[in-house]
Structure formats: C-alpha cells, structure tokens
Amino acid sequence: EIEGVNLTYLTFNKNNEKKLEVRCEESQKKDDDRLLMKKITATIFKADKMDGDIRISADSGYAQYDFHDFFLQGNAVISSASFSLSSKSFFLKSLDVLSTKEAVAFRLRDVTGRARSGMLYVIQDNVLRLLEPKGVLVRSNQRYEFQAKIIRVNERKKWLLLQQKASVKGSGSLIRGERIVLQFDPDFANLETTAASGKCYFQTVETGASGQRQSKEITANQIKMLNDEQGRLQRIAISGDGKIALVDNRN
C-alpha cells in the first residue's frame, strides 16, 4: 500500500542549513521506523571537510533514524564532482560511512576500475577503501593498469595506497610489491613519487631510435622512484638486498 507519491524530505543541520534532500516516487512508513521508498534521488549537501555535494540514486530502498541511515538497491549510484561509485546495493550509516560487499564500479578523477569484493568509504575524511580492485590510472596521456587486494584512496593527502600483491603496469614498465604508495602533487595531477616495499620488483623496457633494446630490472626490499614536475622519472632509490640488472642487445 502506497502512503505517499512524489514526495520530498528535508533535514537541516544545527545552523538551519539544508543537510539532506530526499525525493522518491513512492513511500510507505513501517512500524519499525523504516520508510520504504521507490525511485530514490537524494543529495547530501557540502559540509565540514567534504569537497562538494554528494548525489545518490537507486531504484528502491529504505531510510531510518531521521534519514541518517539508508539502504539502497537496484542501479545504486553515489557520486560527486570528483568520484562515482555504482553497485547493486549500498548501505549508508550516519550519512558518513558508505559500504557494500557487492562488486563496485568506481571512477575517481582519472582512475577507473572495479572492486570485486566491495568497498568502505568514510565521507567526512574523504578516505576510500576498495577490496580486490583492478583498474586503470591515466596520467600525462600514459595508461597504467593496477591491481591489489586492497586500495586506499585519500583525496586530501593526494595518494593511492595499494596493499597486498600490488602491481602497477605501464607502457614498458612494471612494479610489484606488498605495498605501493603513489603520491601525487597538490592538484592530484602529476605523480611525484612511487614507493614500493616488501619483495619489490621493478622492470622497464625501452627501444631506442636505432632499434636497440634496453631493459632495467631491480629487486629489493624497498624501491622509491622520484619524478620531476611533469611526472617523468628522474631517480630511483633502492634499499635492502638490492639487485640491479642493466641489459641491452650487446651486454
């Protein structure tokens, strides 16, 4: 039985500013304080440490505790100006902690991919944890494929952290390790450093104008690569049982 059609619900913060707006085509109030809804669209308005408004949409779901908790299912999408997350379902706790155990398709600036085992996102801190992700990172027209057991994204500190069986593969390059940190500049545009630790392996292959092939292979406990302002590799620092092999066509 439908109790409301084409309704809008609003909540406000202590300064009497709009905190949340929820629209739905149909709603029904249940005895357990749940409000069942269909065709949901909602906006969490920018506040505190958030970078911008967060938009929500789903085919159906419910809200409870004065719209502080949400369950969303069916074409569920959470998005803002800097990210987009889509899955079969999401649970939003206290308008701050977003989670799902379903597979998630994600877009974070120019990072795209799929997290097979779900995600956890703390909205106020802008910290995202993706579980068993694979994806692609594009920087300066260069394409890098990455994967790991866990990836953490910190928008405020401008880094990506890949943990457990982590790897990043680009055009003619590959780095592997148990932990890889990609640190970007303040605009999150250019890669400043790449730091790998735990059974690290790094390889690059280049072919010169004369057709001569050159390769570098490095194994170590820690490998750190430092780039210039355009994100181009300038220096490699190696520590802990390091081995370096430099090979060309002749030696």
Side-chain angles (χ1 to χ4, degrees), residues 84-96:
S84 175
L85 306 166
S86 58
S87 182
K88 291 181 179 178
S89 67
F90 288 109
F91 184 71
L92 180 60
K93 179 71 174 176
S94 302
L95 295 180
D96 186 39

Side-chain angles (χ1 to χ4, degrees), residues 162-179:
L162 290 72
Q163 295 177 286
Q164 302 177 32
K165 297 182 178 179
S167 69
V168 180
K169 182 179 181 181
S171 176
S173 68
L174 169 67
I175 185 165
R176 294 196 301 258
E178 286 302 300
R179 175 186 170 99

